[in-house]
Amino acid sequence: MTRDDALAELKSHIEPGRAEQMAAYHKQTREVLGIPNPALNDVTKAWRQTLTVDERVALAADLWKTDIFEGRIAAAKLLTQARIRPDDAAWKLIQTWVPDFDSWAIADHVCMAGQKRLVADPSRLDAVEAWTTSDHMWTRRAALVITLPWAKQNFPKPAELQARDRVLGWAASYVDDPEWFIQKAVAWWVRDLSKHDVPRASAFLETYGDRLKPFARKEAGKYLK
C-alpha cells in the first residue's frame, strides 16, 4: 500500500465540519482532516491484518511525514500491537518520532505503540531514560507516558518492581518542573500506580507531594485515602 492509497482511504472517512472542531480542541496548526477515532481504529486494524511488518513500518514512516494530524495518529496505530516480530525497526521508528511531538494526542498514540515495544523488551528502558533530561518538554513527558505499563501491574516480578522504582526516580526528578504537561504526567503515573501499589504511591507523595503543583498533587492522590 502506498502513502497516497492510505491517505485516500483515510479521507473516505472524513466527516464534514469535524475538522474545525478537532483542530480547535487539539490546538492544531497542521492539517486536520476530520476523521473520527473509531474510523481510524477500523482502518488501521485492517492494515495491520493485511500488511507485513516491514510494509507497516514503511507505511507508518510515510504517513508520519505527511504531517497530517490523522496521518500521524494512523502511523502510530499501525505499530500499536503487542506482538510484532521482528520489532527492532518499529521501535527505532517510534524513537525517531519523539522529537517531533508537539501535542498530547499524537504523543499519546505514539506512546501507546511504544509501550508495547518496551514491554516486549524492557532493556529499551535504557534509551527512554535519556529522554528524561531532554530540553524538549514533550520528550521528557513521553518518558512517563510510555512507561505506564509498569504502574499498572498487579503482580510485578522483581525485575518489574525494579523498573517501577526506576521510573518513579524519573518522576521524582520532574516534581519541580513548572511545565503543566510534566506535572500532569507525574500525577498520571502516580495515580495509576496507586490503584496497584498503594505503599509506593503513598511514599512518593509523602516525599514529593508538597513540591508538586496543587492540581498535580490532588490528581496523584485521587484514589488514596
Side-chain angles (χ1 to χ4, degrees), residues 84-176:
I84 300 178
R85 296 177 181 174
D87 72 343
D88 287 342
W91 171 238
K92 183 177 180 179
L93 181 60
I94 287 168
Q95 290 180 86
T96 68
W97 291 344
V98 175
D100 294 337
F101 290 171
D102 57 10
S103 67
W104 64 266
I106 293 173
D108 288 1
H109 277 90
V110 174
C111 284
M112 283 189 279
Q115 288 170 10
K116 308 296 186 183
R117 309 282 51 84
L118 287 182
V119 171
D121 184 356
S123 70
R124 290 166 174 162
L125 288 170
D126 292 344
V128 176
E129 185 164 20
W131 302 357
T132 64
T133 56
S134 172
D135 292 335
H136 182 227
M137 183 274 289
W138 292 103
T139 297
R140 298 198 305 277
R141 176 184 180 271
L144 293 188
V145 180
I146 205 169
T147 53
L148 279 168
W150 281 273
K152 299 177 180 180
Q153 294 158 331
N154 283 317
F155 304 104
K157 298 175 182 178
E160 293 167 337
L161 285 174
Q162 290 178 0
R164 178 174 287 179
D165 288 334
R166 183 181 187 180
V167 179
L168 280 171
W170 303 348
S173 73
Y174 287 178
V175 294
D176 296 319

Side-chain angles (χ1 to χ4, degrees), residues 177-195:
D177 194 311
E179 291 280 359
W180 187 92
F181 278 105
I182 297 295
Q183 292 279 317
K184 180 69 173 179
V186 173
W188 186 0
W189 218 95
V190 177
R191 182 198 66 198
D192 281 6
L193 178 65
S194 71
K195 301 176 186 177

Side-chain angles (χ1 to χ4, degrees), residues 11-29:
K11 289 178 179 179
S12 71
H13 295 278
I14 290 174
E15 290 188 359
R18 189 179 185 90
E20 294 78 7
Q21 298 173 9
M22 289 177 59
Y25 177 73
H26 292 288
K27 299 179 180 179
Q28 292 295 298
T29 56

